[in-house]
Structure formats: structure tokens, C-alpha cells
Amino acid sequence: MLKGKTAIVTGSTSGIGHGMATALAAEGVNLVINGIEPPDRGAAIAEGFAKTHGVEAIYSNANLMEREGCEALVRAGEARFGAIDILINNAGVQHVAPIEDFPPEKWDAIIALNLCSSFHTIRTALPGMKKKGWGRIISLASAHGLVASPFKSAYVAAKHGVVGLTKVVALETAELDITCNAICPGYVWTPLVEKQIDDQARAHNIPKDRVIGEVILAPQPKKRFAQVEEIGALAVFLCSDAAASITGAALPVDGGWTAR
Ligand code: NAD
């Protein structure tokens, strides 16, 4: 059903984005891969998807911290494939500090990438989807789009913003076969989380296994990391006809974190 459609997956050279791109490629979806890797490295990643799954894939290293980068990414996809069918806003960064020490430039960068980029890609891609009368928009929010943790002011603010933006877009597109949803993971095993484990081990001066149990997975009743394949499978489901009535939702994949 998804075969031959085109997806942009932002931040798909690594982690969850790579997992979702892999799951979509397995369904025969052509891909616009994006990340901050240099063009030759990114092109090799895109080529990997093409070879393994027999789809077409291009790479753009558009910097999504900038409005022009977001617009350029969507335009590059449209120029190659025509209107975009599936837009997945996934690129994101994190910084952890008490609010009075939080570097303002880190606040600006996190809001720009984790929130504003979704607004810019959606507003650029939506006219093409509306013309086709079909589209699927998914944004990677977080459990931190639903509840807060200390020291993550910018991240929590941005992810709550993504959930709000998702609801507005869902309402504005409800009359067409277009849906817009947010996926809200707890901890997923990716390079972003591995780095947090290293940082926390240094900060608390305790070994990594204690950081995982006592710090990272402390708020998550299921003491396991979700795997990128699980998020990929959910993304494919949200793109399917079976999910045509799921829109404006913020779907937790958080091991019970937000059930408390
Ligand atoms: P990751 O660090 O593995 O990957 C981040 C991706 O974003 C990479 O492809 C990187 O190249 C790209 N990127 C970074 N800066 C960019 C920029 N300026 N322009 C374009 N691309 C850029 O991260 P991840 O853990 O896979 O996280 C992906 C998303 O999922 C993020 O939005 C994150 O907040 C969210 N999330 C992650 C977890 C988790 O536990 N890993 C939990 C909840 C939500």
C-alpha cells in the first residue's frame, strides 16, 4: 500500500530516524534522507537504503536549525520525487542544565531544531499533500512532550510545542486523507541516549550500569530501552490505511512512564 510513495525523514542518518527510514524502505517507500553528515557520507547511507530495499533514496544535509534549510529539504524532495507523501520530523538535539545555567544559545538551537523545523517543513510540504488529497505527517516528540523532568527546559518546552503543533495541523487537515500525529518515546537505545549515559556517569561519578538503572530508566516502569525497530513499525502503521482515523494524537511509547 505504501510502495512507490515518498517520505522525507529528518535526522535519518542515525538512531530513530534511521530506524523509521529502514522500516519505510522495507515497505517500498522512496526516501529523502537528512542529517548533518557530510554529503559523501550521507550519500553512502542513502545508497545503502536503495541497494538493500530496491527503493530510490537521496541525501540532503540541509541544516534544519534554519528556516531556509527546512524549505530547501522539502523542495529537494519535491524536485526529485514530486509532492511528498510522508513527512517525518525527527531531527533533534538535547542539552541538560539547570535553567539559570542553561546557555541561551542552546535554548535557541533546541527550539529551532526540535520545534520550529517541524513548523517550517510542514508548511512547505502541506500544499503538495493537499493537492494529492493524501498525506501522513509524524513528528517525534517525546515522553517529555507530555510530562517534564528537571534540567531539560528547552527540550521539554520544544516537545510540548510539537504536541500542540500536531493537534493544530490535524484539525486543519481533517477533511482530507491527511493525518498528523506525534510519537512520544521514553528512552530508545540510540547514540543520543548513549551520550547521555556517558555524561551522567561523569556528572554523578558512578558506573554506566548504575546510571542506566538509577538515573536514566528511573522514571520508566518498564526497565527496558525501546528499540528503533519498534518506533519504525509504529511509523509504518501510522502511514497505513488502518490508521486513517488516528490524527492529532500524541502516542506514548514510554514503558508506562506517563501512566503515573
Ligand atoms: P540521534 O542523535 O541518534 O540522531 C539525530 C539525527 O538528527 C541525526 O541524523 C543527526 O544528523 C540529525 N541532526 C542533528 N542536527 C541536525 C540539524 N541541525 N539539521 C538536520 N539534522 C540534524 O537522535 P535520536 O535518539 O535518534 O533522536 C531522534 C528524535 O527522537 C529526536 O527528536 C529526539 O528528541 C527524539 N527522542 C529520542 C529519544 C531517545 O531515547 N533516543 C526519546 C524520546 C524522543
Side-chain angles (χ1 to χ4, degrees):
M1 179 242 148
L2 296 178
K3 195 172 167 51
K5 293 200 183 292
T6 297
I8 293 177
V9 185
T10 74
S12 45
T13 53
S14 167
I16 296 172
H18 192 275
M20 291 188 293
T22 303
L24 288 167
E27 298 293 318
V29 174
N30 299 319
L31 294 170
V32 181
I33 299 299
N34 159 255
I36 49 173
E37 284 65 21
D40 54 341
R41 163 105 187 96
I45 294 171
E47 185 59 26
F49 285 112
K51 275 206 175 123
T52 310
H53 299 286
V55 297
E56 293 182 46
I58 61 168
Y59 175 67
S60 162
N61 67 345
N63 178 7
L64 304 187
M65 289 208 190
E66 291 166 2
R67 174 207 294 201
E68 295 76 13
C70 302
E71 293 168 353
L73 176 66
V74 175
R75 297 285 175 239
E78 289 176 337
R80 176 69 183 79
F81 296 111
I84 302 305
D85 301 294
I86 298 165
L87 170 64
I88 303 192
N89 295 304
N90 165 80
V93 285
Q94 170 67 289
H95 185 78
V96 178
I99 194 154
E100 65 273 28
D101 300 330
F102 209 96
E105 59 279 8
K106 291 277 185 199
W107 169 276
D108 290 345
I110 290 173
I111 298 295
L113 183 62
N114 295 20
L115 174 58
C116 300
S117 71
S118 297
F119 165 68
H120 293 303
T121 54
I122 290 170
R123 72 177 172 77
T124 310
L126 201 49
M129 288 183 182
K130 283 187 168 172
K131 218 176 268 175
K132 281 192 175 181
W134 194 94
R136 294 288 185 266
I137 301 168
I138 299 170
S139 296
L140 260 289
S142 165
H144 284 118
L146 304 169
V147 294
S149 294
F151 314 129
K152 296 187 174 178
S153 54
Y155 190 84
V156 169
K159 296 299 190 182
H160 275 68
V162 167
V163 170
L165 175 66
T166 296
K167 293 175 182 175
V168 173
V169 175
L171 294 177
E172 291 188 17
T173 56
E175 286 174 14
L176 298 165
D177 192 358
I178 297 175
T179 66
C180 181
N181 293 291
I183 297 177
C184 299
Y187 283 105
V188 185
W189 190 256
T190 69
L192 183 142
V193 166
E194 284 180 69
K195 182 178 175 304
Q196 276 191 54
I197 293 169
D198 292 339
D199 291 349
Q200 298 272 20
R202 268 193 302 276
H204 294 269
N205 199 21
I206 55 174
K208 286 190 201 178
D209 57 335
R210 279 188 59 200
V211 168
I212 290 174
E214 295 170 26
V215 182
I216 300 279
L217 293 181
Q220 196 162 296
K222 273 197 186 298
K223 301 295 177 197
R224 69 181 286 275
F225 290 92
Q227 302 299 312
V228 298
E229 291 78 11
E230 298 166 42
I231 311 295
L234 177 56
V236 167
F237 174 69
L238 288 173
C239 291
S240 72
D241 284 343
S245 283
I246 302 177
T247 196
L251 299 158
V253 186
D254 65 1
W257 182 335
T258 56
R260 287 182 193 279

